[in-house]
Amino acid sequence: MVSMEQDSIIRTSGFAKSYAPGVPVLRDLDIEIRPRERIALIGANGTGKSTLLKCLIGLLPGSDGTVSALGETFSGSPSKAQLRRIRLQIGFVFQHHGLVRQLSVLSNVTHGMLGYPGSWRAAIQVMAPAEWRIRAMEALSAVNLEAKALERADALSGGQQQRVAIARALIRRPRLMIADEPAASLDPSAGRDVMTVFSRLASEQGITLLYTSHDMEHAVSYSDRIIALKDGRVHFDQASSSVSQSMLSEVFDG
Amino acid sequence: MVERVLPRRTANLSAGGFAIAVAVGALIIVSAGDVAPSVQRLADGFPRLANLVDRMMPPNTDAEFLTRVFWRILETFQIALVGTAIGLIISLPIAWLAARGVTPLGVFGYAFKALVSLFRTVPDLVWALLFVAAVGLGAVAGTLTIIVDTIGFCGRFFAEAMEDADKQSQEALAAHGASRFSILCSAVIPDAMPSMINTGLFALEMAVRSSVVLGLVGAGGIGQELKVAFDLFQYQNASAIILAIFIIVLVMEFVTDRLRALIQ
């Protein structure tokens, strides 16, 4: 494990992706993400942020170059076994929380164990093994929602629901947490709340965090490093503290 | 005063639309001439009906007869209850296989949609005749009919409820690597559950109603007793049975209504 810690979490070399031949969405990407880093991926709409997220973990096939993700190296698509091993080390959070409204908060958190062996027992918390219930409560306490464990998911506020989604990702004890616009559909204060939880968890639990955002403040305040995409290439890739306002404006204004 | 331009009261009817309206009207009038009761027929029929009702009164309240009716009604309930329960259980996997976007079979899911349609479009009395021929007279044929009936009804509405289930939660679980079956149990069924319970209660209500008439073709239950009464001109027995049927259907509707209100 110690040597794994030294390795990069994700590394691409000469990576390119095109949906139609000759029309690249992403090209010449050499990206490296090291353990425990908090990375903000930014870019104007349609620059391929979501596509890149999916390619980095093998959910979409690349067109050229190689990707190493969480110990698995592949060009094009990963094998099924590789994809499964990659997924087991990742927790996902999306713009929309994607909780099952009718179920309890606790059941929604145990859903994070789906995809693991014997995971049919994760469907509702009543059936879940004691160990998973303990892990679920730990995850809920990490996002300060222990008290809401048995409430229905749709009884919570938007920000709380997104924190439950974080707990659902956290129960997997992921090495990498991927969040696609996690605060975009929340009001500003709930959005800051969610981003604070992310960056705190990443540093407390040693999770690598990779998130996209179109909010300049979120991009700068909660990351160690910003990777900016423009026209399918890396426009800049540097420590958040050294990124200026004008550099950000340049990226967001297309 | 300012002159106002008012919107037209009616939309313009096109020539084609007018032709279709005339054709439909003509079809109804011609058909009515063939099958609708004429005034004469009604006038003749009414005294006969009055005579029949007169012979039905008073309903037979003989204790031995009422005991027999009681056991037959109990059998009717059993047919409805067991048929609906088994039908609901079979409907779940069939609905899963038939639901668009949820089925693991892709386009082959349509085969199950077609099967459910077949179950639904063939009337229950026809199914009952088939099952009486296959397994003989009695309650088993009735139960089989209700099972098929329930699958035809619930298979369709369960599938629709599953198709309408929230997609975002399904996508979130799929990203984490959940299998289609896990997604079904964790996200699709919980989301579709309120609608499915409602459908199940309607199915039970329909089953009670149709199990009453299945006996007419020999598939068990109270209907069998009713047919015997009419065949043997025992009209006082018949009226007692009709009253009993009326009461159980009423009770059933009341109970399912209360259950529905409780769930919502």
Side-chain angles (χ1 to χ4, degrees):
Chain A
M1 273 322 265
V2 176
S3 70
M4 290 279 280
E5 289 292 304
Q6 312 303 322
D7 287 346
S8 51
I9 292 286
I10 285 176
R11 184 204 300 263
T12 69
S13 73
F15 181 82
K17 167 73 182 170
S18 50
Y19 284 106
V23 192
V25 183
L26 301 167
R27 53 193 149 161
D28 305 331
L29 293 185
D30 298 297
I31 292 174
E32 185 177 12
I33 298 173
R34 290 173 291 273
R36 295 164 187 271
E37 271 191 310
R38 295 172 303 168
I39 309 283
L41 183 62
I42 63 170
N45 284 334
T47 45
K49 285 172 293 178
S50 294
T51 303
L52 178 59
L53 280 189
K54 286 177 186 154
C55 289
L56 289 179
I57 52 175
L59 292 177
L60 273 179
S63 310
D64 200 8
T66 57
V67 177
S68 297
L70 298 157
E72 309 291 332
T73 303
F74 54 90
S75 46
S77 294
S79 72
K80 270 197 165 173
Q82 280 184 315
L83 182 57
R84 208 188 61 240
R85 285 196 294 269
I86 293 171
R87 271 175 161 168
L88 288 180
Q89 305 178 62
I90 300 179
F92 295 92
V93 176
F94 303 93
Q95 177 175 350
H96 183 273
H97 53 74
L99 302 180
V100 182
R101 293 165 295 169
Q102 287 81 0
L103 293 181
S104 67
V105 165
L106 190 56
S107 289
N108 270 290
V109 178
T110 59
H111 282 176
M113 296 308 289
L114 292 172
Y116 280 81
S119 68
W120 61 273
R121 293 182 70 182
I124 48 173
Q125 58 94 4
V126 180
M127 303 192 299
E131 192 218 327
W132 291 3
R133 288 167 55 99
I134 294 169
R135 276 170 79 156
M137 287 310 289
E138 283 169 4
L140 276 177
S141 103
V143 297
N144 290 325
L145 283 174
E146 275 169 299
K148 304 275 186 187
L150 292 181
E151 281 188 35
R152 262 173 64 139
D154 56 4
L156 271 54
S157 71
Q160 289 173 332
Q161 287 174 328
Q162 193 61 298
R163 274 151 58 196
V164 174
I166 295 173
R168 178 176 64 189
L170 214 53
I171 192 178
R172 302 167 72 82
R173 299 191 176 147
R175 290 180 68 200
L176 173 64
M177 183 93 89
I178 289 185
D180 195 1
E181 299 281 1
S185 50
L186 300 174
D187 63 63
S189 107
R192 274 194 297 276
D193 196 25
V194 161
M195 292 311 299
T196 307
V197 169
F198 265 124
S199 64
R200 178 171 58 76
L201 286 175
S203 46
E204 278 177 12
Q205 308 200 8
I207 299 170
T208 309
L209 176 62
L210 173 60
Y211 66 95
T212 62
S213 179
H214 61 241
D215 183 313
M216 292 191 200
E217 191 215 321
H218 290 176
V220 177
S221 312
Y222 304 101
S223 67
D224 303 313
R225 183 151 62 97
I226 297 180
I227 299 175
L229 293 181
K230 196 173 182 185
D231 302 323
R233 297 171 199 267
V234 173
H235 185 62
F236 64 78
D237 176 354
Q238 60 190 71
S240 310
S241 50
S242 68
V243 173
S244 69
Q245 195 69 29
S246 62
M247 290 166 74
L248 288 172
S249 308
E250 204 182 327
V251 171
F252 282 110
D253 298 340
Chain B
M1 206 172 122
V2 184
E3 201 170 315
R4 286 187 192 283
V5 180
L6 288 170
R8 268 201 310 272
R9 283 181 192 274
T10 55
N12 269 349
L13 191 58
S14 70
F18 181 72
I20 290 172
V22 169
V24 170
L27 183 68
I28 291 173
I29 291 169
V30 170
S31 303
D34 288 342
V35 297
S38 64
V39 177
Q40 183 62 45
R41 289 280 290 272
L42 279 179
D44 289 349
F46 189 73
R48 263 182 260 156
L49 187 66
N51 177 260
L52 183 64
V53 170
D54 186 46
R55 285 160 71 188
M56 281 180 161
M57 290 299 141
N60 188 353
T61 51
D62 172 47
E64 196 197 337
F65 169 72
L66 286 183
T67 316
R68 205 167 76 223
V69 168
F70 172 78
W71 287 114
R72 282 299 194 178
I73 282 187
L74 192 68
E75 187 184 62
T76 310
F77 257 124
Q78 287 175 317
I79 291 172
L81 203 63
V82 174
T84 310
I86 297 176
L88 284 176
I89 292 167
I90 300 175
S91 293
L92 269 177
I94 289 186
W96 179 41
L97 294 173
R100 207 166 1 93
V102 184
T103 172
L105 302 179
V107 287
F108 296 105
Y110 281 104
F112 285 90
K113 273 221 154 117
L115 180 74
V116 170
S117 293
L118 174 75
F119 282 3
R120 193 174 53 251
T121 44
V122 177
D124 50 1
L125 280 181
V126 177
W127 284 116
L129 284 169
L130 284 173
F131 286 127
V132 167
V135 301
L137 291 169
V140 175
T143 307
L144 287 170
T145 305
I146 299 296
I147 291 174
V148 170
D149 247 5
T150 305
I151 296 172
F153 182 71
C154 292
R156 175 186 170 177
F157 287 105
F158 282 10
E160 276 178 12
M162 289 177 185
E163 285 167 8
D164 292 344
D166 176 43
K167 292 282 177 295
Q168 279 160 325
S169 56
Q170 295 173 40
E171 281 160 15
L173 299 185
H176 281 113
S179 65
R180 275 182 177 275
F181 185 69
S182 296
I183 293 173
L184 175 80
C185 298
S186 312
V188 178
I189 290 183
D191 205 57
M193 191 53 89
S195 153
M196 294 201 307
I197 289 175
N198 216 349
T199 304
L201 287 172
F202 269 120
L204 182 63
E205 211 176 298
M206 280 171 32
V208 169
R209 247 190 302 245
S210 67
S211 63
V212 162
V213 295
L214 291 181
L216 296 179
V217 295
I222 188 70
Q224 214 151 312
E225 207 63 44
L226 185 63
K227 184 170 186 308
V228 169
F230 270 107
D231 284 352
L232 301 181
F233 307 107
Q234 297 166 335
Y235 292 119
Q236 292 181 338
N237 286 2
S239 61
I241 292 167
I242 290 171
L243 275 177
I245 290 173
F246 178 65
I247 291 166
I248 58 167
V249 171
L250 218 59
V251 167
M252 203 57 223
E253 275 179 18
F254 177 74
V255 170
T256 51
D257 271 352
R258 290 306 295 267
L259 280 177
R260 255 193 291 277
L262 244 163
I263 287 158
Q264 264 140 35

